């Protein structure tokens, strides 16, 4: 039998002195014993809150429920719990009840860009498929907190069938992201059915699963689950580690199982004040991730969801962190730092500026050390004029069914075959006057 850490042993014994942790690695046992109230939390951690704080915490719970797995709780250091990164992600803060002026229930307008109940279709070629509304742990920084309050509603087969139908009837969708909630809250059989249905759609080229299980309940990554997932390649897997402390022996084991099954692994971290807003923490996290075959994918700026003000950092903190990563560590250990546009514009990548100046024949660049260098542009470059008529082009695409979608956004301004010379906001007053005078 695998050995348990001292803290795991202690938490397991406090939950059930009789079994003393013999079920610790059973994910169903972990879910059944999830901590959902303050009393149990205090008891398991061996701490007590003052009555006044307690009542404010109780109020917070009434709006945003608490749920932590015994495993994740056992990562908290009771000696210094208030500053503990696991505690801060798992346990409510009274300030969650304070809604600041710029905060929104649905900051990314996911519900508006939703053609059918379970789908968010924002980008041209991929969709978010919300296949579950439950999680094994409720992250305090959840961007979809508006949904967490719904008492453990799991979409039934019929509702999900509508999502599948939408994808089948929408041929531009080549990439489907299973999200939620946590898709691994579904049973293996149900997921197997869902993945089979999706892969049977000819235009679905890849499927991704977004799950925090390797972080908060690594025992969910069982041999049976992995054997089932392995049948559904190409299948990508993104998880959500925010702090190096979360990378434990158990989570490493879960990641190794997934990587051994051939699933490419990625990580989406969120920049959180008091948790990981430090270049050294993010670098240590990313280096530990790549040691475990996980590619840091995104580092998110914290969204403007209601009650998250205490978690938000200035964007400058993110840029500072990127400055300390790019060039300083392995390129594949560096995530893309993104702000998810409020109102639903999607992810916007940000990084420090590396272009210092420009002329027609030279670009002046700086590197991570502050060295300023010159890149000489080519003396002659024959522009390939594109009219989207690939038959007559010297470059060879020769792809069966290459998509002929029109360029959108800035891409269209750059394109030779598009007449657009400017993008203008719909409510532009000056153009409004022009129309009037006509
Ligand atoms: C993040 C996101 C995606 C996927 O974006 P990638 O940059 O391809 O990872 C798709 N749809 C929505 C609504 C998203 O928020």
């Amino acid at each position: 039998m695998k050995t348990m850490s001292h803290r795991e042993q202690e938490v397991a014994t406090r939950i059930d002195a009789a079994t003393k942790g013999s079920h610790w690695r059973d994910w169903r046992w972990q879910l059944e014993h999830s901590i959902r109230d303050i009393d149990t939390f205090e008891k398991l951690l061996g701490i007590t809150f003052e009555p006044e704080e307690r009542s404010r915490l109780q109020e917070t719970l009434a709006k945003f429920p608490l749920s932590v797995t015994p495993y994740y709780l056992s990562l908290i250091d009771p000696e210094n719990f208030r500053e503990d990164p696991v505690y801060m992600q798992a346990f409510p803060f009274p300030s969650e009840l304070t809604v600041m002026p710029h905060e929104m229930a649905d900051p990314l307008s996911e519900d508006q860009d939703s053609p059918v109940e379970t789908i968010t279709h924002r980008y041209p070629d991929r969709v978010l498929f919300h296949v579950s509304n439950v999680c094994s742990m409720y992250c305090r920084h959840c961007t979809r907190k508006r949904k967490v309050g719904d008492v453990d509603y799991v979409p039934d087969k019929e509702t999900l069938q509508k999502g599948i139908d939408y994808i089948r009837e929408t041929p531009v969708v080549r990439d489907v992201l299973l999200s939620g909630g946590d898709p691994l809250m579904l049973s293996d059989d149900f997921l197997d059915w869902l993945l089979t249905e999706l892969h049977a759609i000819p235009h679905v080229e890849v499927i991704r699963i977004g799950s925090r299980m390797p972080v908060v309940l690594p025992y969910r990554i069982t041999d049976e689950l992995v054997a089932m997932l392995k049948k559904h390649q190409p299948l990508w897997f993104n998880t959500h580690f925010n702090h190096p402390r979360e990378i434990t022996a158990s989570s490493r084991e879960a990641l190794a199982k997934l990587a051994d099954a051939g699933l490419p692994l990625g990580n989406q971290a969120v920049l959180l004040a008091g948790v990981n807003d430090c270049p050294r923490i993010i670098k240590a996290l990313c280096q530990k991730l790549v040691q475990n075959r996980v590619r840091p994918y995104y580092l998110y700026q914290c969204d403007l969801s209601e009650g998250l003000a205490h978690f938000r950092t200035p964007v400058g903190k993110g840029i500072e962190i990127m400055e300390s990563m790019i060039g300083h560590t392995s390129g594949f250990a560096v995530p893309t730092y993104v702000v998810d546009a409020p109102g639903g514009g999607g992810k916007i990548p940000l990084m420090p500026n590396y272009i210092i100046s420009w002329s027609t024949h030279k670009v002046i660049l700086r590197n991570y050390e502050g060295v300023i260098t010159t890149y000489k542009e080519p003396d002659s470059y024959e522009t390939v004029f594109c009219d989207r008529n690939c038959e007559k082009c010297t470059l060879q695409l020769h792809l069966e069914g290459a998509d002929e979608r029109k360029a959108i956004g800035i891409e269209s301004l750059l394109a030779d075959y598009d007449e657009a010379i400017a993008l203008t906001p719909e409510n532009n007053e000056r153009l409004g006057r022009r129309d009037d005078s006509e």
Side-chain angles (χ1 to χ4, degrees):
M1 195 181 135
K2 300 242 166 52
T3 53
M4 290 166 72
S5 74
H6 168 71
R7 281 290 303 145
E8 286 179 317
Q9 195 70 63
E10 193 171 64
V11 172
T13 310
R14 283 176 183 169
I15 291 174
D16 187 352
T19 57
K20 286 201 194 71
S22 52
H23 302 302
W24 186 258
R25 299 173 75 88
D26 174 351
W27 64 275
R28 289 190 182 84
W29 181 90
Q30 286 273 340
L31 283 182
E32 276 160 26
H33 292 86
S34 282
I35 296 90
R36 290 168 180 267
D37 63 90
I38 300 172
D39 281 347
T40 316
F41 196 88
E42 287 179 319
K43 188 184 98 188
L44 297 183
L45 218 53
I47 59 169
T48 36
F49 295 103
E50 296 298 321
E52 195 191 326
E53 181 173 18
R54 225 191 133 76
S55 74
R56 281 186 306 143
L57 288 170
Q58 202 60 58
E59 261 176 72
T60 315
L61 284 200
K63 182 160 182 204
F64 299 119
L66 161 75
S67 184
V68 201
T69 58
Y71 162 81
Y72 197 58
L73 177 133
S74 77
L75 305 186
I76 299 172
D77 173 10
E79 301 300 320
N80 186 17
F81 68 92
R82 294 214 184 252
E83 271 112 52
D84 188 285
V86 174
Y87 173 86
M88 290 182 73
Q89 291 180 69
F91 199 71
F93 281 86
S95 50
E96 287 173 41
L97 293 176
T98 317
V99 177
M100 301 299 277
H102 299 286
E103 294 176 351
M104 295 162 267
D106 178 18
L108 311 178
S109 302
E110 290 183 325
D111 296 341
Q112 278 170 39
D113 282 338
S114 178
V116 295
E117 198 180 321
T118 50
I119 299 272
T120 303
H121 190 172
R122 161 152 312 146
Y123 293 104
D125 67 343
R126 54 209 187 277
V127 295
L128 208 57
F129 193 1
H130 306 267
V131 295
S132 154
N133 248 12
V134 270
C135 284
S136 59
M137 199 280 281
Y138 293 150
C139 303
R140 301 323 294 182
H141 55 277
C142 183
T143 188
R144 297 197 189 113
K145 273 189 147 175
R146 66 186 187 279
K147 305 218 168 176
V148 172
D150 294 5
V151 184
D152 292 8
Y153 153 79
V154 181
D156 55 19
K157 210 162 181 166
E158 212 171 299
T159 313
L160 290 183
Q161 189 65 57
K162 286 188 197 137
I164 296 170
D165 293 343
Y166 175 81
I167 294 167
R168 188 181 299 113
E169 288 152 18
T170 316
V172 289
V173 176
R174 42 162 289 286
D175 174 8
V176 178
L177 276 90
L178 303 187
S179 182
D182 197 315
L184 296 189
M185 289 296 276
L186 303 175
S187 72
D188 292 4
D189 286 346
F190 198 83
L191 258 179
D192 193 13
W193 167 77
L194 194 59
L195 291 167
T196 306
E197 290 288 303
L198 289 171
H199 266 316
I201 300 172
H203 53 265
V204 172
E205 298 170 4
V206 285
I207 300 176
R208 313 186 226 178
I209 291 181
S211 167
R212 211 178 179 198
M213 289 292 188
V215 187
V216 297
L217 183 49
Y219 311 125
R220 174 68 184 93
I221 314 301
T222 59
D223 293 338
E224 297 76 44
L225 173 74
V226 170
M228 183 276 287
L229 295 178
K230 194 175 174 171
K231 292 189 306 183
H232 296 285
Q233 308 283 15
L235 182 60
W236 292 59
F237 193 102
N238 265 324
T239 186
H240 176 35
F241 287 91
N242 282 332
H243 194 281
R245 275 255 308 277
E246 296 170 330
I247 303 179
T248 62
S250 296
S251 62
R252 282 200 301 267
E253 202 181 306
L255 295 172
K257 279 185 190 176
L258 293 165
D260 287 346
L263 275 70
L265 303 180
N267 188 68
Q268 318 202 123
V270 185
L271 193 52
L272 297 171
V275 174
N276 62 8
D277 51 337
C278 156
R280 291 185 67 190
I281 291 178
I282 296 291
K283 195 198 277 182
L285 169 69
C286 292
Q287 290 175 342
K288 274 194 163 194
L289 287 166
V290 299
Q291 279 177 50
N292 290 284
R293 292 180 278 174
V294 182
R295 170 81 155 91
Y297 182 44
Y298 284 137
L299 173 64
Y300 285 93
Q301 175 66 13
C302 184
D303 287 331
L304 290 166
S305 294
E306 286 177 356
L308 296 191
H310 60 290
F311 275 134
R312 289 174 52 215
T313 65
V315 168
K317 181 50 81 173
I319 304 272
E320 179 193 342
I321 289 173
M322 295 312 288
E323 185 73 72
S324 77
M325 301 274 295
I326 298 171
H328 297 268
T329 190
S330 318
F332 64 89
V334 181
T336 303
Y337 172 50
V338 291
V339 177
D340 218 332
K347 297 172 187 74
I348 299 170
L350 297 177
M351 64 155 97
N353 281 327
Y354 290 94
I355 297 190
I356 290 193
S357 198
W358 232 330
S359 77
T360 53
H361 56 289
K362 278 185 193 174
V363 187
I364 311 302
L365 306 163
R366 63 97 173 174
N367 79 346
Y368 72 102
E369 301 165 303
V371 169
I372 297 180
T373 189
T374 321
Y375 178 83
K376 171 79 179 59
E377 301 271 40
D379 286 328
S380 64
Y381 170 72
E382 215 165 309
T383 302
V384 182
F385 183 85
C386 176
D387 57 2
R388 281 254 160 160
N389 188 354
C390 301
E391 304 293 288
K392 295 193 189 130
C393 184
T394 52
L395 300 173
Q396 302 184 2
L397 178 59
H398 294 182
L399 259 185
E400 217 39 68
D403 87 26
E404 285 304 313
R405 185 180 54 80
K406 259 186 78 72
I408 58 168
I410 306 294
E411 186 194 15
S412 74
L413 297 184
L414 291 171
D416 301 317
Y417 54 85
D418 194 301
E419 306 276 284
I421 50 167
L423 300 178
T424 316
E426 249 171 51
N427 61 354
N428 181 290
E429 267 191 42
R430 182 171 50 81
L431 292 198
R433 284 197 296 276
R434 278 190 196 172
D435 291 346
D436 289 346
S437 63
E438 269 168 17

